Amino acid sequence: MSDQITISLPDGSTRKFPKGSTSLDVATSISEGLARNVLASRVNGEVWDAFRPINEDSSIQLLTWNDEDGKSTMWHSSAHLMAEALESLYPGIKFGIGPPIDNGFYYDVDFGDQEFDSENLEVLENKMLELAREKNEYERKDVSKADAVKYFEEKGDEYKLELIEGLEDGQITFYTQGDFTDLCKGPHIPNTGFIKAVKILNVAGAYWRGDETRKQLTRLYGVSFPKQKELKEHLEILEQAKLRDHRKLGKELELFTFSEKVGKGLPLWLPKGAVLRERLENFMRKAQVKAGYDPVVSPHIGGKELYVTSGHYEKYGKDSFQPIETPAEDEEFLLKPMNCPHHCEIYKSRPRSYKDLPIRYAEFGTVYRYEQSGELHGLTRVRGFTQDDAHIFCAQDQVKAEFAKVIDLVLHVFSALGFGDFTAQVSLRDPNDPDKYIGQDDLWDRAEKEIQEVADEKGLDTVVEYGEAAFYGPKLDFMVKDALGRKWQLGTIQVDYNLPQRFELEYVGSDNQKHRPVMIHRAPFGSMERFIAILIENSAGNFPLWLAPDQVAILPISEKYHAYARDLHIKLQEADISGFMDERDEKIGKKIRDAEVKKVPFMLIVGEKEADNGNVSVRQHGEGDLGSMKTAEFIQFFTDKVSELIG
């Protein structure tokens, strides 16, 4: 048996190494400088410790701070470093989970009778840096279940013992750095010395395993960097992001609110927010009519059996509101978690022919999911949200053409709203967890192939993510960043061979035989709530002119010109230009400043000269004075501006 292995690198080259060599050995063979920067590696598609021995022919990619998986590995290791620092400062504490997240890491901690508050953050940060300078290696060790249980029983950590319950021999690994040992599958960076700058960002509460009936732990959020300069830049970005936070701007711009009496995660749309939503919906409705969609409306609830048939009850039951019982015996309803089962029943309402296909049903349908309270976040994660949902029922040979048309629609939406920075993500099955999905493998294979082919034909620069598919089919997800750089799924398109089978959907083909249609699920906005949240943050509340709830503010210099201002307001309304008239007894300078703060696109100032000549003095938000215009001239100017944006 050969004691040599072949390592394939991303550039197509191969190198021979002794069996048991590590990714760091590979990096060192290329350059000492590279080796000093390697945080982890991807071995045959799986992220590994850079110091983990490789015992068979493998393809590897070396990961540094410039790679997403490199960052994630360092943040995971930083969570362990924070836990080590906490344990040294607060002996006897217990730990839940400590994963990396999009912008840093967190660890859930049970401090017992000891107190931890924000005054302790700097002490914790300094302790982390002190331990980091020791350059302790992260050591990986395979552990039997019996030994793992014994270790945490002696330590008295019931949280780790509970995590071990679901594991078997051969699945359990410990990682140790310095004096801290943790249950963890890794991967980790070579040693703590890579961590040069840390910041504990936030302290919050989190129920153990997301269960509100369990103990609430303390969740400490942090971030780390290989250079102090990068931390400083990141903190500056966070300060800017606070100014763009959709929760802050939503309140200031009077768009939406929440009420404890109405319920957590259930937004209330205020008049200006309702106008914003209505404009977005009208924009989409117009585009859908052009694309051949028919509107439908379905109820907010459905019989439990509907969702049992679709599979939603099995897959979403734990995350849904519990069944609603009626006075009738054994009759149960659910708040709908998805619109698609309802649309399947609409399709079944009469016989279908191949001549009817494709059938495209569109609905702005509100759905409900019981998100854990600790996961709720403004409009981005709520319990009730409206989807710009549509379902296309088509023949097999129509799938790719229909999918391509939906991509065009999503790109049209993103272009009109200034979402240029997005990632097209091909979301596929998790090959290691087949129980998450329904349906036959050959149909999944076909759907996944079709999505990738159409995305390639459209020239989309895609990334592939395994495990992100819907339970009934693969997806093309459009991922957009918020003000903090976190990625959120907005638009989504899904190919589904499974629900048509479960609902026994049919059409009569040209051969006079019965056939099964294919179903395409699509939502260019995704969730209206999440879409508006990201729109607020990306635009800092400076909405595109056509979308702004108040497009103009009419500012009379004094009460003498209120009558002229009211006539002007009526003319603008007739031209479908929305806004308000500021009749307050304030100086014009304050009125202008207040309109600027409200981010009103245009301010129309009227005084004696304007009233005498039928003019308006025009100021543009962020641009300043545009001069005097006739009212008709301004209306045309406004209309042309809108046409430039949405055609």
mmCIF file of all heavy atoms in Angstrom, residues 140 142 182 254 284 291 382 388 399 453 492 495 544 592 638-639:
data_model
loop_
_atom_site.group_PDB
_atom_site.id
_atom_site.type_symbol
_atom_site.label_atom_id
_atom_site.label_comp_id
_atom_site.label_asym_id
_atom_site.label_seq_id
_atom_site.Cartn_x
_atom_site.Cartn_y
_atom_site.Cartn_z
ATOM 1 N N ARG A 140 -7.743 18.592 18.036
ATOM 2 C CA ARG A 140 -8.932 17.781 17.752
ATOM 3 C C ARG A 140 -8.732 16.364 18.283
ATOM 4 O O ARG A 140 -7.655 15.783 18.131
ATOM 5 C CB ARG A 140 -9.161 17.742 16.242
ATOM 6 C CG ARG A 140 -10.418 17.020 15.787
ATOM 7 C CD ARG A 140 -10.521 17.126 14.257
ATOM 8 N NE ARG A 140 -11.816 16.697 13.786
ATOM 9 C CZ ARG A 140 -12.138 15.452 13.457
ATOM 10 N NH1 ARG A 140 -11.231 14.485 13.584
ATOM 11 N NH2 ARG A 140 -13.341 15.159 13.008
ATOM 12 N N ASP A 142 -10.931 12.507 18.689
ATOM 13 C CA ASP A 142 -12.113 11.647 18.620
ATOM 14 C C ASP A 142 -12.358 11.050 19.995
ATOM 15 O O ASP A 142 -11.423 10.573 20.659
ATOM 16 C CB ASP A 142 -11.900 10.526 17.602
ATOM 17 C CG ASP A 142 -11.849 11.051 16.181
ATOM 18 O OD1 ASP A 142 -12.808 11.710 15.765
ATOM 19 O OD2 ASP A 142 -10.827 10.826 15.497
ATOM 20 N N ASP A 182 -14.085 21.525 24.587
ATOM 21 C CA ASP A 182 -15.493 21.653 24.214
ATOM 22 C C ASP A 182 -15.905 20.516 23.288
ATOM 23 O O ASP A 182 -15.093 19.981 22.525
ATOM 24 C CB ASP A 182 -15.730 22.987 23.501
ATOM 25 C CG ASP A 182 -17.172 23.462 23.600
ATOM 26 O OD1 ASP A 182 -18.013 22.731 24.157
ATOM 27 O OD2 ASP A 182 -17.457 24.578 23.124
ATOM 28 N N GLU A 254 -42.582 56.699 9.967
ATOM 29 C CA GLU A 254 -43.974 56.341 10.259
ATOM 30 C C GLU A 254 -44.506 55.314 9.259
ATOM 31 O O GLU A 254 -45.581 55.470 8.669
ATOM 32 C CB GLU A 254 -44.865 57.583 10.266
ATOM 33 C CG GLU A 254 -44.455 58.614 11.314
ATOM 34 C CD GLU A 254 -45.303 59.876 11.263
ATOM 35 O OE1 GLU A 254 -46.220 59.944 10.417
ATOM 36 O OE2 GLU A 254 -45.051 60.787 12.060
ATOM 37 N N MET A 284 -45.842 45.174 -9.087
ATOM 38 C CA MET A 284 -45.755 43.756 -9.407
ATOM 39 C C MET A 284 -46.976 43.286 -10.188
ATOM 40 O O MET A 284 -46.858 42.497 -11.138
ATOM 41 C CB MET A 284 -45.595 42.945 -8.120
ATOM 42 C CG MET A 284 -45.470 41.433 -8.342
ATOM 43 S SD MET A 284 -44.095 40.990 -9.418
ATOM 44 C CE MET A 284 -42.735 41.437 -8.351
ATOM 45 N N ALA A 291 -46.915 39.511 -18.027
ATOM 46 C CA ALA A 291 -46.296 38.189 -18.117
ATOM 47 C C ALA A 291 -47.315 37.059 -18.180
ATOM 48 O O ALA A 291 -46.936 35.881 -18.202
ATOM 49 C CB ALA A 291 -45.353 37.973 -16.935
ATOM 50 N N VAL A 382 -40.563 37.632 10.947
ATOM 51 C CA VAL A 382 -41.849 37.893 11.587
ATOM 52 C C VAL A 382 -42.682 36.611 11.615
ATOM 53 O O VAL A 382 -42.291 35.584 11.065
ATOM 54 C CB VAL A 382 -42.613 39.012 10.839
ATOM 55 C CG1 VAL A 382 -41.940 40.351 11.020
ATOM 56 C CG2 VAL A 382 -42.742 38.691 9.353
ATOM 57 N N ASP A 388 -45.450 37.737 -2.445
ATOM 58 C CA ASP A 388 -45.940 38.004 -3.808
ATOM 59 C C ASP A 388 -45.841 36.666 -4.547
ATOM 60 O O ASP A 388 -45.022 36.453 -5.420
ATOM 61 C CB ASP A 388 -45.133 39.100 -4.498
ATOM 62 C CG ASP A 388 -43.665 38.766 -4.631
ATOM 63 O OD1 ASP A 388 -43.096 38.157 -3.710
ATOM 64 O OD2 ASP A 388 -43.073 39.119 -5.673
ATOM 65 N N VAL A 399 -40.889 23.798 -18.776
ATOM 66 C CA VAL A 399 -40.293 24.200 -17.499
ATOM 67 C C VAL A 399 -39.189 25.228 -17.687
ATOM 68 O O VAL A 399 -39.182 26.298 -17.059
ATOM 69 C CB VAL A 399 -39.756 22.975 -16.726
ATOM 70 C CG1 VAL A 399 -38.912 23.424 -15.526
ATOM 71 C CG2 VAL A 399 -40.908 22.109 -16.240
ATOM 72 N N GLU A 453 -29.107 24.724 -15.472
ATOM 73 C CA GLU A 453 -28.998 24.989 -16.910
ATOM 74 C C GLU A 453 -29.584 26.350 -17.272
ATOM 75 O O GLU A 453 -28.970 27.118 -18.028
ATOM 76 C CB GLU A 453 -29.701 23.887 -17.699
ATOM 77 C CG GLU A 453 -28.933 22.571 -17.733
ATOM 78 C CD GLU A 453 -29.674 21.466 -18.469
ATOM 79 O OE1 GLU A 453 -30.871 21.665 -18.812
ATOM 80 O OE2 GLU A 453 -29.074 20.394 -18.697
ATOM 81 N N THR A 492 -37.231 34.237 -4.991
ATOM 82 C CA THR A 492 -36.983 32.792 -5.046
ATOM 83 C C THR A 492 -37.808 32.174 -6.167
ATOM 84 O O THR A 492 -38.932 32.617 -6.453
ATOM 85 C CB THR A 492 -37.309 32.114 -3.699
ATOM 86 O OG1 THR A 492 -36.956 30.735 -3.765
ATOM 87 C CG2 THR A 492 -38.776 32.222 -3.357
ATOM 88 N N VAL A 495 -38.545 24.708 -8.594
ATOM 89 C CA VAL A 495 -39.119 23.698 -9.487
ATOM 90 C C VAL A 495 -39.593 22.525 -8.639
ATOM 91 O O VAL A 495 -38.839 21.989 -7.827
ATOM 92 C CB VAL A 495 -38.086 23.218 -10.526
ATOM 93 C CG1 VAL A 495 -38.670 22.095 -11.379
ATOM 94 C CG2 VAL A 495 -37.653 24.370 -11.419
ATOM 95 N N PRO A 544 -36.981 55.177 -4.082
ATOM 96 C CA PRO A 544 -37.140 55.655 -5.457
ATOM 97 C C PRO A 544 -38.374 56.544 -5.562
ATOM 98 O O PRO A 544 -39.374 56.320 -4.868
ATOM 99 C CB PRO A 544 -37.317 54.359 -6.255
ATOM 100 C CG PRO A 544 -36.669 53.300 -5.424
ATOM 101 C CD PRO A 544 -36.889 53.715 -3.995
ATOM 102 N N ILE A 592 -38.438 73.308 5.454
ATOM 103 C CA ILE A 592 -37.544 72.636 4.508
ATOM 104 C C ILE A 592 -36.718 71.579 5.240
ATOM 105 O O ILE A 592 -36.584 70.443 4.775
ATOM 106 C CB ILE A 592 -36.623 73.657 3.800
ATOM 107 C CG1 ILE A 592 -37.450 74.531 2.849
ATOM 108 C CG2 ILE A 592 -35.501 72.948 3.049
ATOM 109 C CD1 ILE A 592 -36.677 75.697 2.257
ATOM 110 N N PHE A 638 -41.723 65.591 -13.244
ATOM 111 C CA PHE A 638 -41.913 64.497 -12.297
ATOM 112 C C PHE A 638 -42.225 63.195 -13.036
ATOM 113 O O PHE A 638 -41.637 62.142 -12.759
ATOM 114 C CB PHE A 638 -43.047 64.856 -11.328
ATOM 115 C CG PHE A 638 -43.314 63.817 -10.273
ATOM 116 C CD1 PHE A 638 -42.772 63.939 -9.007
ATOM 117 C CD2 PHE A 638 -44.121 62.713 -10.541
ATOM 118 C CE1 PHE A 638 -43.016 62.986 -8.032
ATOM 119 C CE2 PHE A 638 -44.366 61.757 -9.579
ATOM 120 C CZ PHE A 638 -43.814 61.890 -8.316
ATOM 121 N N THR A 639 -43.166 63.273 -13.975
ATOM 122 C CA THR A 639 -43.584 62.082 -14.728
ATOM 123 C C THR A 639 -42.421 61.487 -15.505
ATOM 124 O O THR A 639 -42.251 60.256 -15.554
ATOM 125 C CB THR A 639 -44.733 62.444 -15.687
ATOM 126 O OG1 THR A 639 -45.816 63.022 -14.938
ATOM 127 C CG2 THR A 639 -45.241 61.203 -16.415
#
